[in-house]
Amino acid sequence: GCGLCIKHCPFQAIKISNFPKVLQNQVTHRYGANTFKLHRLPLPRLGEVLGLVGSNGIGKSTALKILAGKLQPNLGKQEYGMAREEIMRFFRGSELENYMTKLLDKKLKALIKVQNIELIANDPKFDKVLVGKRLRTMGEGIRYGKIYRALDFQGITDREIQSLSGGELQRFAIAYTCIQNADIYLFDEPSSFLDIKQRLKAAKLIRSLLRAYNQVIVVEHDLQILDYLSDCICVLYGKSGTYGVVTMPYYVQEGINIFLAGYIPTENMRFRDDEFTFKVTDKDEQKEKDKITDQGQEHMRKTINYDYPAMEKTLDTFKLTARPGQIQQGEIVVMLGQNGIGKTTLIKLLAGALKPDDLTIELPRLNISYKPQTLAPKFEGTVRDLFCLKIHDTWQDLTFKTEVLIPLEIESLLDNYVQTLSGGELQKIAMVLALAKPCDIYLIDEPSAYLDIEQRIRLSKVMKSWIIKSNRTAIIVEHDFIMASYLADKVIAFHGMPGEFGYCRSPEGLISGMNKFLQLMDISIRRDSANFRPRINKRYSNQDFEQKSAGNYFLME
Ligand code: ADP
Ligand code: ADP
Ligand code: MG
Ligand code: MG
């Protein structure tokens, strides 16, 4: 193949010899000889939010740094301190000419919310500085009040910046950028560490920055948030760590659909093997197919219902009250709720890792495979050693290999030491261990944490098809709304006061469960007409108003 277009390309996209040549003249930046290369740049527009989407290591942060003026592009020539003239010659005649001229002449004020917020916690400039005090010195009172309310700052304004948790630090970083005036605002992964409610609130705040004379660029892995935030989308594709190519901007709906389809029509470029669709019929069709192929074994199986009783659990000052639940074999239940509301507590109760307040309550005795939220590997050895020890029988199994190990690209990790794995790699290994364990029910707590969007898509597909094929049941905690509605047959919605009390309903059907949850969040969702992807309605739009007044927070047609 051309090395750019992934194998089995059904469109016969891209002539093998032409494409790289075109790209060769379009290198914007290269970190050094034989290192990562970024081709082209995203094209921001006045008065609009531009979203960037793509896997990790594909150049999103690099592009942001260039557009923020923090990194001077070297056009792939590996010299730093390149003359202004030469850079301008490269952009002359392109749509970026105006932007780059202003940037190089320092006539654009750019503010960037960096991806790695640890940098803020470790910045000596913020040493012993209080959150509220710092923010108040940066912007006017009205703006401070607005941001304070938008990001729920009560309780953390008198804290030192160094003492903030991940989610709190993220909100401070967003606030610190939003409170200042700029011509261009850049946000690198603003939703990391935030729960579903905080993500929506941050997205609303970021969007409210927009004026006719400024612009916003956002890198975001949560497609729902990206969709809500952006007017336009640039997709980044290529080979992680080797090269990345930025597409032209598409209108948000088209851009996200292109990303999900894995195919860019205007460039005739396929960058992912398979499409990702949300057809609600997928699962039923699958079930029908399975029935046909498995009819021979049907008599061997009996359908198990997993019923759990009403429970209460007190942890210090927090109390969870859970309604009883009934789940059928083969069903996937997704838990939805903000952080600190008791999702992990309920999972642990079901897993038997915690006992309910009433010790006489008996839970059904089932084989459980549990993937905890926090992963703290103590294993001293390679991934291969770990698999041999824990899932000796399953991981060599051919079906498991083709259904799980290959799509998750585990092969290349086998000889790495478990202790040296990155967050995303560790997550994938934890998921392999959980899926491989023979069980009646999977309990999976936040599988998409640390994964980039491509990996989330792949993992969601793997989880769903494996759970259906093995005819098992699963309860999954998932903050990414698109993945949640892709996975869920049923929903458990949580409400309450984070850290104080949580209340969870019985599992209920996707539509009614989502409806109640979205009502609490005060957002309405419709389905995309092309691929059935759920989309948040822009606030105060006609569609938003109509759906809310009809009580249809989650519209499926
Ligand atoms: P993304 O934000 O899409 O995850 P980045 O833009 O951060 O990707 O990085 C793209 C590639 O460039 C990665 O392979 C990364 O390792 C490499 N890279 C980033 N910064 C540097 C640097 N300062 N020197 C060398 N390589 C770098
Ligand atoms: P979620 O998974 O929804 O984010 P959790 O179930 O982990 O929430 O936690 C709910 C609340 O219970 C949080 O406020 C948390 O701080 C508190 N909590 C969890 N475990 C303990 C514990 N062992 N001791 C005291 N409080 C706890
Ligand atoms: Mg990045
Ligand atoms: Mg949790």
Side-chain angles (χ1 to χ4, degrees):
C2 55
L4 288 167
C5 140
I6 292 175
K7 57 193 155 70
H8 317 307
C9 173
F11 296 90
Q12 293 294 310
I14 305 304
K15 287 225 181 73
I16 293 166
S17 50
N18 294 348
F19 192 71
K21 254 191 214 145
V22 178
L23 280 180
Q24 265 160 25
N25 305 325
Q26 296 178 337
V27 180
T28 319
H29 190 73
R30 187 162 208 181
Y31 284 104
N34 298 318
T35 63
F36 178 81
K37 235 184 339 182
L38 179 68
H39 299 273
R40 305 177 186 158
L41 272 183
L43 179 65
R45 279 199 284 237
L46 277 181
E48 290 189 351
V49 179
L50 174 67
L52 306 185
V53 62
S55 54
N56 281 346
I58 208 84
K60 302 182 298 301
S61 296
T62 304
L64 278 200
K65 282 178 204 152
I66 293 173
L67 291 173
K70 303 244 181 234
L71 176 69
Q72 182 159 329
N74 62 15
L75 315 181
K77 297 189 178 149
Q78 297 148 35
E79 325 163 3
Y80 288 83
M82 182 167 280
R84 179 186 180 285
E85 274 320 299
E86 194 168 351
I87 298 175
M88 279 326 301
R89 206 177 311 132
F90 178 76
F91 288 105
R92 193 154 300 146
S94 80
E95 290 178 277
L96 270 165
E97 180 175 2
N98 194 8
Y99 185 95
M100 292 307 284
T101 311
K102 281 197 202 152
L103 192 67
L104 288 171
D105 295 345
K106 309 233 179 303
K107 286 190 179 137
L108 271 186
K109 182 174 181 203
L111 282 175
I112 184 165
K113 197 292 293 171
V114 292
Q115 175 180 355
N116 184 359
I117 50 173
E118 287 289 307
L119 293 176
I120 297 173
N122 299 331
D123 190 338
K125 177 167 92 178
F126 292 122
D127 199 25
K128 301 252 182 316
V129 175
L130 302 181
V131 171
K133 211 166 163 190
R134 183 72 207 199
L135 288 177
R136 269 194 301 269
T137 62
M138 298 304 296
E140 315 133 32
I142 300 176
R143 216 149 162 188
Y144 176 74
K146 183 179 151 196
I147 289 171
Y148 177 97
R149 283 188 301 278
L151 297 178
D152 289 331
F153 267 141
Q154 63 272 22
I156 61 169
T157 48
D158 293 331
R159 299 254 306 274
E160 283 185 9
I161 289 157
Q162 266 98 348
S163 76
L164 300 177
S165 72
E168 291 163 345
L169 192 60
Q170 184 70 271
R171 284 184 286 148
F172 171 74
I174 294 170
Y176 188 75
T177 308
C178 289
I179 204 161
Q180 302 177 60
N181 279 315
D183 300 306
I184 176 156
Y185 295 92
L186 305 106
F187 295 88
D188 204 344
E189 307 197 6
S191 79
S192 314
F193 307 109
L194 300 186
D195 68 35
I196 192 162
K197 189 169 182 185
Q198 293 166 338
R199 284 180 194 187
L200 285 165
K201 288 191 146 192
K204 282 176 193 167
L205 177 67
I206 291 173
R207 237 197 116 74
S208 77
L209 291 172
L210 217 52
R211 300 286 179 275
Y213 49 81
N214 66 12
Q215 46 203 324
V216 178
I217 309 183
V218 184
V219 170
E220 179 54 59
H221 283 309
D222 183 327
L223 285 183
Q224 188 79 61
I225 298 299
L226 185 76
D227 186 3
Y228 180 72
L229 265 173
S230 315
D231 298 298
C232 288
I233 299 275
C234 287
V235 176
L236 282 91
Y237 63 89
K239 196 168 184 315
S240 282
T242 310
Y243 73 96
V245 186
V246 188
T247 68
M248 60 182 263
Y250 296 94
Y251 284 113
V252 57
Q253 173 176 16
E254 196 185 2
I256 290 184
N257 289 349
I258 283 174
F259 180 71
L260 288 170
Y263 174 72
I264 303 161
T266 46
E267 296 176 27
N268 191 19
M269 164 66 68
R270 171 154 287 283
F271 62 90
R272 192 187 316 112
D273 268 339
D274 45 358
E275 281 186 67
F276 193 66
T277 58
F278 292 88
K279 283 209 184 81
V280 274
T281 49
D282 264 3
K283 167 140 200 210
D284 295 335
E285 281 171 11
Q286 188 62 47
K287 271 195 166 163
E288 282 306 310
K289 266 191 224 144
D290 285 355
K291 252 189 211 148
I292 296 162
T293 50
D294 289 348
Q295 250 160 13
Q297 304 159 21
E298 201 65 55
H299 64 281
M300 310 255 299
R301 290 212 193 114
K302 51 182 192 299
T303 305
I304 305 166
N305 285 339
Y306 182 33
D307 298 355
Y308 60 85
M311 287 180 280
E312 291 183 340
K313 179 69 191 174
T314 312
L315 289 162
D316 271 349
T317 56
F318 176 80
K319 183 171 178 187
L320 171 72
T321 308
R323 304 278 303 135
Q326 261 196 357
I327 305 163
Q328 267 179 18
Q329 187 174 5
E331 275 179 343
I332 301 179
V333 183
V334 170
M335 287 188 182
L336 289 173
Q338 57 197 114
N339 283 344
I341 203 92
K343 301 181 300 297
T344 298
T345 306
L346 181 60
I347 288 256
K348 284 184 177 166
L349 285 168
L350 297 172
L354 278 178
K355 295 269 170 271
D357 287 346
D358 181 351
L359 292 172
T360 61
I361 289 179
E362 280 205 28
L363 277 117
R365 273 198 211 139
L366 288 168
N367 286 323
I368 282 161
S369 178
Y370 171 44
K371 201 239 18 122
Q373 179 176 353
T374 42
L375 310 171
K378 295 189 197 75
F379 188 77
E380 292 185 18
T382 63
V383 172
R384 193 189 301 276
D385 300 337
L386 183 66
F387 285 179
C388 288
L389 187 74
K390 298 260 176 167
I391 50 170
H392 190 263
D393 298 331
T394 327
W395 85 284
Q396 297 289 1
D397 178 75
L398 198 62
T399 324
F400 191 75
K401 230 177 212 169
T402 47
E403 293 282 329
V404 179
L405 294 180
I406 292 173
L408 294 183
E409 295 172 330
I410 301 296
E411 193 79 21
S412 59
L413 299 175
L414 286 176
D415 294 316
N416 292 20
Y417 282 86
V418 175
Q419 305 267 356
T420 66
L421 297 176
S422 74
E425 292 164 348
L426 206 56
Q427 187 69 271
K428 291 199 288 182
I429 300 304
M431 280 307 305
V432 169
L433 290 177
L435 292 177
K437 190 177 163 195
C439 66
D440 301 314
I441 184 163
Y442 293 111
L443 301 174
I444 301 173
D445 203 346
E446 303 212 9
S448 64
Y450 303 111
L451 298 184
D452 72 34
I453 177 65
E454 290 277 354
Q455 293 169 327
R456 261 180 226 184
I457 288 177
R458 217 161 286 151
L459 177 63
S460 300
K461 285 185 106 164
V462 165
M463 282 196 291
K464 187 161 175 162
S465 76
W466 182 254
I467 291 164
I468 291 172
K469 287 217 172 91
S470 56
N471 197 28
R472 288 171 183 158
T473 307
I475 302 183
I476 302 173
V477 179
E478 176 60 71
H479 282 305
D480 187 317
F481 199 84
I482 290 205
M483 296 310 143
S485 45
Y486 168 75
L487 289 167
D489 299 307
K490 280 185 174 167
V491 170
I492 301 180
F494 283 72
H495 59 104
M497 268 301 275
E500 292 175 28
F501 62 93
Y503 180 88
C504 83
R505 307 172 56 87
S506 300
E508 55 194 313
L510 180 67
I511 296 178
S512 74
M514 287 289 187
N515 215 24
K516 297 205 177 82
F517 180 72
L518 294 175
Q519 192 165 7
L520 287 171
M521 299 283 133
D522 190 31
I523 55 170
S524 67
I525 281 183
R526 69 188 183 286
R527 289 232 174 206
D528 184 84
S529 52
N531 62 8
F532 302 94
R533 165 174 67 87
R535 305 190 68 197
I536 303 180
N537 293 313
K538 293 265 183 318
R539 214 155 179 221
Y540 309 125
S541 64
N542 281 345
Q543 182 80 19
D544 186 47
F545 180 76
E546 274 171 28
Q547 281 187 225
K548 281 178 179 171
S549 43
N552 291 327
Y553 286 78
F554 189 69
L555 204 62
M556 285 280 277
E557 56 215 33

